[in-house]
Amino acid sequence: MLASIFNSPYFYPSIYHWLVLSSALFSIGIYGFLTRKNAVGILISLELCLNSGALNFVVFDYFRGNHIDGKIMALFIIAVAAAEVVIAMAIFVGMFKHKKTIDVTEMNQMRN
Amino acid sequence: MQNFINIFTHGIFIKHAWFVLAVPFLSFVFVGLVLRPLSKKASGLIATLSISVTTLFVYGIIAECFLMHRVPSGAAWQVPWLRYQDGLSATLGVLVDPLSLLLMCVVTTVSALVHLYSIGYMRGDEGVGRYFAFLNLFTFSMLGLVVAPNILQIFIFWELVGVSSFLLIGYYYEKPQAVAASKKAFIVTRFADLGFFIGIFILGYYGFQSFSRLGPTVPQALSPFDFAYLTSPAFIEFFKHETYMIFGLSIFSLTLILVFMGACGKSAMFPLHIWLPDAMEGPTPVSALIHAATMVVAGVYLVARMFPLFVASPEALGLVQCVGTFTCLFAATIGCTQDDIKRVLAFSTLSQIGYMMFALGVCHGGNTLGYTASLFHLFTHAFFKALLFLGAGSIIHALHTNNVWEMGGLVKAMPITHLTFLVATLSISGIPPFSGFFSKDEILLSAFINHQYLTFVIALLVAGLTSFYMFRVYFLTFWSEAKWHGHVHKPQEASWTMTLPLLLLAVLAAISGFTPIAKWIFYTKSQVESHRLFFVPVFGVLVAAFGFLLAMLFYTGDRKIVDHVVLKFAWMYGVIKHKFYIDEVYLWITKKVIFRFIAFPVAWFDRRIVDGGVNLAAWVTRKTGWLLRFLQTGQVQTYGIWLVSGGLVMLLVLLTL
């Protein structure tokens, strides 16, 4: 019985499931990016978007012949994201020192 | 002695003919850039020295031509300058043939003497360095003009002499009249050069059309612009039979008339003569060099240079004759009434150039003696007219006035000036054995044997008028009662730098008539010496003597006689005195017609439509920017929304496609 469940093709998620997952992640990221006021929250939302992209690489790699290159690309994305986070956090620290806040709605000196 | 002669038998001078252009140019650059701010004295010295060297070099070329017993023709030295394609190129070069040698001789001689004279005349002036630099520039340009082997080079130097003339007329730039005169000279000659330029285009077009076919048959023709090609029988035959007509004139005649328009502007022929009298605002040596001896005869030179073309077109040559004859008479009548000594000389120059022009023009009658006569008169005129101007400059220098009625009694005070002025006056009046007699006689003869009797009679009349107005100036200046007693200084001769050129020019003015110029300068050799009519010179001398007697009667005795005559012909006198109101007509045309009906609407169009269009574009851009400004909130998330919605729209578009 259990074995039949494990052996059923419906038990294993297909590419569609994965893509729905990554789309959901991406949408959540976008939503967060557009609504959060805290700069760190926005950064986290952006990380979600990035990760959904990385997930897409892995998924397409797995379902399209399982070569290694998509996974390597995902590793690159993770590395780039880490670097980006460092820079962004440094900017936020600088911003906070300057303005005593990291609320992005306050950062409107370039308006008009 | 033999060793000295041997120098001239190697052909070195002809081979290095570029020297003639290089020296004045380098001297211009050196004096203008280096010496001008440093030293006034050195500027004048170096400028004079370099032109003297050039003069000696030109004499060297002439001596070579004599001693080698052959007259060179064609470019002695040439460099390619603009190469467009095969059969269409322009060169810069030095043409050595009898005609260019004659002009080179005149230009360098007069220029060297005027340079020397200027050292004395301009002493104490602030801008002496500038003056000498410009004078060198002028000499360079004029030499480039006369040695040009092709019509493009002649045009370039034609403009350069125009510029140097402009700069020198406006030398006293603090004087508003001088500035106005220089502008007038430049604009009038530029207007005439427009015709010349169009003429060059048409000539170049037809030259290029035929060059691949006819060019190889013409020796020494490198490009369609070469005079060697343009004046070759093959090209003239081709161009003459072009059937294209405008205004009932063949394109051939029309082109020549356009070229002649340029010549008219430079030589100040009626109706483009208005700039020359005003050009007397420049320093007097400049008037002697540019506006008497050299630049103003460039038009005569141009017609002479293209003479084979003109001979083939009776219409163009007829126009040359008409314009020349009319200017000759017209200017001579005005010359009789002017009070400014330099203006009398300016109108006399106009009249004498008129002689040269119609002497070329009468050749359509079939006999080309006029060609020789014209250039002979150019040669002699250069010396005696330069001498007259330098003499006038000497008087002005001593008395500080231009008005002949304020002079007088200078015979004792300025003996050298008096003597040389007398020689020049006798020469221009055509009294034998002075030079003007020979050349004027030849001109009269050429008019007579071509059966141009009206021109002949007018020329005789003008010979009388010339004698009259020149002796009028002479008697008023030297013999009448002295009116300068109120002056602090007694007028006296200036330094040797001023009197030496006067004496040298007086020698030249006296003897240059004996030059056997017809041996080298001719169009058809057989026609030059075939005619000698006894009564022509007799008439000429009689008329001149009559003019002399009339002037003596009027201007040595009581002034009442003059006043009586003037009152009797008051109306006519007024018209002539105001130069037939030609200047006023020009002013009316420019101010009332051109400014009002052309310049004003054009200015309106420029300001409202052209500038308005530009301003409108700027206004629209500014307003759009002002509106778009409000889209820039400074909120990063607003931009994010724009980004995402834009991305979505793109996605939708891609999906629906």
Side-chain angles (χ1 to χ4, degrees):
Chain A
M1 172 62 195
L2 207 62
S4 69
I5 290 171
F6 279 117
N7 288 334
S8 140
Y10 299 107
F11 182 77
Y12 294 102
S14 72
I15 187 167
Y16 301 109
H17 300 102
W18 291 112
L19 287 183
V20 166
L21 174 65
S22 92
S23 304
L25 271 177
F26 190 78
S27 305
I28 293 164
I30 290 287
Y31 175 78
F33 170 69
L34 293 179
T35 53
R36 304 290 300 182
K37 283 189 173 177
N38 191 322
V40 179
I42 290 174
L43 187 62
I44 292 169
S45 315
L46 269 178
E47 286 303 313
L48 278 179
C49 294
L50 271 174
N51 280 326
S52 83
L55 184 61
N56 265 9
F57 269 109
V58 176
V59 166
F60 281 115
D61 179 77
Y62 181 75
F63 287 98
R64 294 289 176 97
N66 206 5
H67 304 297
I68 202 75
D69 42 4
K71 290 158 192 156
I72 290 174
M73 198 52 91
L75 283 176
F76 272 123
I77 290 174
I78 290 163
V80 168
E84 182 210 309
V85 166
V86 171
I87 293 167
M89 288 310 290
I91 291 172
F92 295 157
V93 170
M95 245 160 66
F96 186 77
K97 273 186 180 162
H98 188 63
K99 288 204 129 181
K100 299 289 170 221
T101 174
I102 47 170
D103 184 346
V104 289
T105 56
E106 299 286 314
M107 311 294 163
N108 59 358
Q109 279 182 332
M110 300 283 278
R111 74 183 180 283
N112 294 347
Chain B
M1 188 63 198
Q2 194 57 43
N3 286 344
F4 180 69
I5 288 173
N6 279 342
I7 298 171
F8 300 110
T9 51
H10 306 296
I12 290 173
F13 287 95
I14 293 179
K15 204 169 148 196
H16 298 285
W18 53 268
F19 200 77
V20 173
L21 291 184
V23 173
F25 180 70
L26 291 178
S27 161
F28 157 63
V29 173
F30 184 66
V31 171
L33 293 181
V34 182
L35 287 180
R36 185 180 54 79
L38 294 179
S39 159
K40 286 181 200 165
K41 219 168 203 169
S43 314
L45 214 61
I46 296 294
T48 310
L49 210 63
S50 64
I51 301 300
S52 310
V53 167
T54 317
T55 311
L56 292 179
F57 194 87
V58 169
Y59 292 167
I61 297 180
I62 294 169
E64 266 179 6
C65 294
F66 271 114
L67 292 170
M68 289 162 86
H69 294 298
R70 64 180 179 85
V71 179
S73 61
W77 173 82
Q78 234 173 351
V79 284
W81 171 47
L82 298 171
R83 284 185 52 82
Y84 302 105
Q85 61 187 82
D86 280 343
L88 189 62
S89 63
T91 53
L92 281 181
V94 176
L95 180 67
V96 176
D97 68 351
L99 182 54
S100 72
L101 272 179
L102 178 85
L103 265 287
M104 271 196 261
C105 175
V106 167
V107 171
T108 50
T109 309
V110 176
S111 178
L113 292 175
V114 165
H115 271 77
L116 181 61
Y117 182 88
S118 302
I119 293 179
Y121 188 84
M122 300 302 284
R123 179 175 292 152
D125 200 280
E126 272 310 301
V128 174
R130 182 165 56 95
Y131 174 84
F132 277 104
F134 288 163
L135 219 51
N136 270 350
L137 173 66
F138 170 76
T139 311
F140 160 70
S141 333
M142 192 66 209
L143 284 169
L145 195 158
V146 301
V147 300
N150 60 57
I151 201 162
L152 286 183
Q153 185 182 341
I154 219 173
F155 185 74
I156 290 162
F157 284 98
W158 188 268
E159 294 304 327
L160 268 176
V161 288
V163 166
S164 11
S165 161
F166 166 80
L167 292 170
L168 284 165
I169 296 169
Y171 174 74
Y172 297 120
Y173 57 83
E174 303 94 343
K175 262 169 75 183
Q177 303 101 300
V179 174
S182 64
K183 271 198 293 193
K184 189 174 181 182
F186 195 67
I187 292 167
V188 172
T189 48
R190 276 303 292 145
F191 172 73
D193 293 346
L194 181 69
F196 185 22
F197 200 42
I198 297 169
I200 291 175
F201 273 143
I202 303 175
L203 276 174
Y205 174 75
Y206 284 104
F208 181 57
Q209 291 279 307
S210 59
F211 190 70
S212 56
R213 196 156 43 82
L214 303 174
T217 66
V218 181
Q220 296 184 331
L222 297 178
S223 77
F225 299 111
D226 278 2
F227 286 120
Y229 180 69
L230 291 177
T231 57
S232 67
F235 174 71
I236 294 172
E237 199 57 31
F238 161 79
F239 194 13
K240 212 172 141 181
H241 292 108
E242 230 10 88
T243 48
Y244 193 62
M245 305 274 276
I246 298 172
F247 309 131
L249 278 170
S250 66
I251 186 80
F252 178 64
S253 296
L254 191 76
T255 309
L256 292 177
I257 288 169
L258 284 171
V259 169
F260 178 61
M261 184 179 159
C264 265
K266 203 56 104 195
S267 285
M269 291 285 104
F270 182 86
L272 297 171
H273 67 281
I274 48 163
W275 65 270
L276 189 60
D278 288 20
M280 296 301 130
E281 291 294 341
T284 311
V286 168
S287 310
L289 176 60
I290 303 185
H291 306 118
T294 55
M295 189 190 81
V296 285
V297 296
V300 179
Y301 172 74
L302 182 69
V303 177
R305 179 55 82 195
M306 303 183 72
F307 197 61
L309 284 157
F310 276 92
V311 164
S313 163
E315 292 94 348
L317 215 48
L319 184 74
V320 174
Q321 184 197 352
C322 291
V323 170
T325 314
F326 183 75
T327 312
C328 186
L329 178 63
F330 167 83
T333 51
I334 299 175
C336 298
T337 60
Q338 296 298 304
D339 294 333
D340 182 331
I341 185 168
K342 285 181 75 184
R343 283 191 186 237
V344 176
L345 294 178
F347 281 106
S348 147
T349 307
L350 283 179
S351 169
Q352 300 300 311
I353 297 169
Y355 265 115
M356 300 173 206
M357 279 291 182
F358 83 66
L360 289 169
V362 292
C363 294
H364 68 78
N367 191 301
T368 53
L369 173 65
Y371 177 79
T372 309
S374 168
L375 291 163
F376 190 20
H377 198 56
L378 189 160
F379 181 68
T380 56
H381 171 256
F383 297 127
F384 60 67
K385 187 50 67 61
L387 175 54
L388 284 172
F389 266 107
L390 293 187
S394 184
I395 296 162
I396 294 166
H397 192 71
L399 289 180
H400 303 289
T401 175
N402 279 12
N403 194 332
V404 284
W405 294 101
E406 293 168 15
M407 298 171 179
L410 292 175
V411 185
K412 294 236 172 62
M414 303 176 78
I416 298 175
T417 309
H418 165 248
L419 190 69
T420 52
F421 202 91
L422 178 63
V423 168
T425 309
L426 288 170
S427 186
I428 194 175
S429 309
I431 309 288
F434 297 97
S435 59
F437 165 71
F438 296 96
S439 50
K440 202 172 276 183
D441 166 43
E442 214 163 296
I443 287 177
L444 290 172
L445 186 66
S446 71
F448 190 78
I449 58 180
N450 278 312
H451 311 293
Q452 303 296 327
Y453 299 117
L454 180 64
T455 302
F456 177 72
V457 170
I458 291 176
L460 265 182
L461 177 67
V462 173
L465 284 172
T466 310
S467 169
F468 173 72
Y469 65 67
M470 280 321 300
F471 277 105
R472 168 178 177 264
V473 168
Y474 170 73
F475 284 128
L476 284 177
T477 313
F478 291 102
W479 288 99
S480 69
E481 213 176 307
K483 285 105 181 166
W484 37 263
H485 286 308
H487 282 271
V488 186
H489 301 291
K490 189 174 178 293
Q492 57 184 21
E493 291 292 353
S495 61
W496 67 271
T497 51
M498 281 169 74
T499 47
L500 181 67
L502 287 177
L503 289 169
L504 288 176
L505 276 173
V507 171
L508 285 171
I511 63 164
S512 63
F514 294 104
T515 324
I517 229 165
K519 262 172 93 174
W520 300 286
I521 305 223
F522 50 79
Y523 185 68
T524 323
K525 192 167 177 70
S526 58
Q527 289 175 344
V528 173
E529 282 152 5
S530 55
H531 294 78
R532 275 283 167 257
L533 293 171
F534 176 65
F535 71 92
V536 174
V538 172
F539 267 18
V541 173
L542 282 179
V543 166
F546 181 70
F548 163 74
L549 289 175
L550 207 61
M552 198 159 89
L553 174 73
F554 278 4
Y555 298 104
T556 51
D558 208 346
R559 202 181 156 171
K560 275 190 200 131
I561 312 169
V562 187
D563 291 339
H564 182 70
V565 174
V566 165
L567 272 180
K568 203 157 191 182
F569 299 99
W571 182 80
M572 220 167 86
Y573 179 80
V575 170
I576 297 176
K577 176 120 184 164
H578 289 97
K579 305 165 208 162
F580 292 94
Y581 294 102
I582 301 284
D583 276 316
E584 282 74 9
V585 169
Y586 268 97
L587 267 185
W588 186 83
I589 290 175
T590 46
K591 288 235 164 98
K592 292 282 156 71
V593 181
I594 296 179
F595 284 0
R596 183 176 292 176
F597 294 106
I598 299 174
F600 189 71
V602 166
W604 183 88
F605 184 83
D606 185 53
R607 260 182 226 135
R608 305 283 153 162
I609 310 293
V610 179
D611 289 5
V614 175
N615 287 343
L616 182 73
W619 184 84
V620 167
T621 314
R622 203 169 60 238
K623 283 290 156 196
T624 318
W626 184 77
L627 285 173
L628 287 175
R629 210 169 60 155
F630 295 106
L631 291 178
Q632 185 144 16
T633 56
Q635 298 290 333
V636 73
Q637 283 163 333
T638 322
Y639 306 151
I641 288 170
W642 284 110
L643 177 76
V644 172
S645 44
L648 282 176
V649 168
M650 292 292 284
L651 191 69
L652 280 175
V653 168
L654 286 176
L655 286 180
T656 47
L657 283 177

